[in-house]
């Protein structure tokens, strides 16, 4: 593997995460430039979600350093890291079922979650326009007054991505957004993430190689907690170690 180029927005150096003596993560260096979209692939149990946990502060690294936007956040609380502009989308969409689509978007506005009593306060006209434009973009506009519990799985994914878009987060950690989606839904999800690239920094964990190809972005392959390969999808998927450890197990390269 070539020496990684130092990256400016997110830097992970010498990070291990050890659970009961088991090293779930062992990354000597992982960096992402501002505005980039990085895809992280790797077999089940490779440490992909743990990597996001360490970046978001949910898990404290056992050793090493996490730097976001030139701030050493290694010992920061998850709420402090979130306030710095790190947003997360989990494998299972975490939207509020008993609220409407529009209310979920209101709740995602900066500061709203910390001030529950302001949930139904008036957003500015600019915020309202932004929410409506996003709902239009994600084909949810016709559903804006429907309860989130009545959405399809794909619509819930887009609602959650839209909520991240409106939240003001700058670094987005997106865990397996295409899981369980149809081909058409997958294509729209890829388009949305690509739209965020450039004015957000994204880390997207994904198993679906067709989706990864669509994203057309730099790929890092994790295996047993370590960075196995890093580069374009073609470079990574032709790496003998990656084929041996991951793609050889039935994950087609294209
Ligand atoms: N909080 C935890 N406590 C104990 N083991 C954990 C914890 N989080 C993750 N692990 C273990 O770390 C390894 C990596 O898990 P994970 O990051 O979820 O992998 P991936 O997302 O790549 O499938 C797994 O073996 C998992 O069981
Ligand atoms: Mg995972």
């Amino acid at each position: 593997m070539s020496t990684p180029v130092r990256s400016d927005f997110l830097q992970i150096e010498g990070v291990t995460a050890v659970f009961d003596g088991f090293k779930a993560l062992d990354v000597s260096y992982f960096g992402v430039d501002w505005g980039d979209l990085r895809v992280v692939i790797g077999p089940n149990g490779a440490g992909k979600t743990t990597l996001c946990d360490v970046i978001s502060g949910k898990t404290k690294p056992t050793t090493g350093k996490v730097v976001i936007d030139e701030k050493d956040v290694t010992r920061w609380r998850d709420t402090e890291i979130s306030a710095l502009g790190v947003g997360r989308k989990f494998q299972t969409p975490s939207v509020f079922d008993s609220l409407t689509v529009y209310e979920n978007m209101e709740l995602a506005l900066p500061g709203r979650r910390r001030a529950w009593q302001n949930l139904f306060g008036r957003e500015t006209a600019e915020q309202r326009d932004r929410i409506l434009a996003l709902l239009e973009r994600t084909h949810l506009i016709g559903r804006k007054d429907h309860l989130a519990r009545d959405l399809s799985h794909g619509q819930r994914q887009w609602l959650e991505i839209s909520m991240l878009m409106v939240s003001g987060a700058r670094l987005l950690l997106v865990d397996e957004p295409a899981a369980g989606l149809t081909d058409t839904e997958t294509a729209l999800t890829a388009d949305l993430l690509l739209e965020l690239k450039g004015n957000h920094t994204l880390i997207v964990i994904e198993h679906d190689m067709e989706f990864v190809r669509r994203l057309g972005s730099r790929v890092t392959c994790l295996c047993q907690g370590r960075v196995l390969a890093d580069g374009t999808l073609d470079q990574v998927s032709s790496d003998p170690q990656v084929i041996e450890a991951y793609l050889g197990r039935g994950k087609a390269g294209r």
Side-chain angles (χ1 to χ4, degrees):
M1 207 182 86
S2 57
T3 315
V5 177
R6 287 200 71 83
S7 306
D8 60 9
F9 193 68
L10 168 73
Q11 296 164 358
I12 288 181
E13 290 175 16
V15 163
T16 60
V18 181
F19 302 111
D20 296 327
F22 173 76
K23 217 181 253 187
L25 201 62
D26 184 7
V27 171
S28 53
Y29 187 82
F30 175 82
V32 184
D33 282 333
W34 168 250
D36 263 6
L37 188 164
R38 177 69 58 83
V39 184
V40 177
I41 62 169
N44 272 331
K48 305 181 299 294
T49 298
T50 305
L51 177 71
C52 289
D53 289 345
V54 160
I55 297 168
S56 68
K58 182 170 176 242
T59 295
K60 293 292 153 220
T62 311
T63 61
K65 191 161 98 165
V66 179
V67 177
I68 300 171
D69 197 15
E70 298 182 341
K71 290 163 196 77
D72 183 342
V73 301
T74 317
R75 299 287 146 203
W76 288 25
R77 277 198 287 266
D78 56 353
T79 48
E80 294 170 319
I81 293 177
S82 158
L84 183 63
V86 178
R88 185 145 187 204
K89 190 198 155 322
F90 292 92
Q91 231 157 309
T92 314
S94 58
V95 301
F96 292 89
D97 275 343
S98 56
L99 298 180
T100 66
V101 167
Y102 192 86
E103 287 164 353
N104 268 282
M105 291 292 279
E106 286 185 301
L107 191 59
L109 287 167
R112 287 296 170 104
R113 273 175 204 255
R114 268 169 286 132
W116 181 262
Q117 69 276 15
N118 289 336
L119 170 56
F120 299 109
R122 293 305 296 265
E123 65 277 10
T124 65
E126 192 187 334
Q127 286 172 327
R128 186 178 166 78
D129 288 350
R130 168 108 177 103
I131 290 176
L132 294 176
L134 281 171
L135 293 179
E136 184 88 51
R137 178 71 193 88
T138 49
H139 305 297
L140 289 171
I141 194 75
R143 296 240 152 201
K144 86 179 167 59
D145 299 319
H146 291 229
L147 294 181
R149 75 160 66 95
D150 297 329
L151 298 179
S152 71
H153 178 61
Q155 289 171 329
R156 291 169 71 88
Q157 296 282 3
W158 301 328
L159 175 57
E160 212 186 5
I161 294 172
S162 307
M163 287 165 71
L164 271 183
M165 291 165 93
V166 88
S167 71
R170 297 178 296 154
L171 172 62
L172 309 182
L173 310 171
V174 187
D175 204 345
E176 301 202 25
L181 298 188
T182 64
D183 288 351
T184 322
E185 290 172 337
T186 300
L188 176 58
T189 305
D191 288 350
L192 286 176
L193 295 174
L194 285 170
E195 224 166 88
L196 290 166
K197 186 176 178 173
N199 46 19
H200 295 78
T201 304
L202 294 103
I203 295 173
V204 180
I205 293 174
E206 194 45 65
H207 271 288
D208 178 338
M209 283 301 155
E210 192 46 50
F211 181 76
V212 173
R213 187 163 294 284
R214 240 174 203 287
L215 291 174
S217 301
R218 184 166 157 188
V219 174
T220 297
C221 181
L222 279 188
C223 189
Q224 296 180 347
R226 292 167 178 267
V227 174
L228 203 58
D230 189 9
T232 65
L233 178 59
D234 286 334
Q235 284 166 347
V236 169
S237 56
S238 60
D239 184 300
Q241 279 184 289
V242 174
I243 293 168
E244 165 73 23
Y246 179 44
L247 298 173
R249 298 182 187 174
K251 289 275 170 197
R254 61 186 73 217

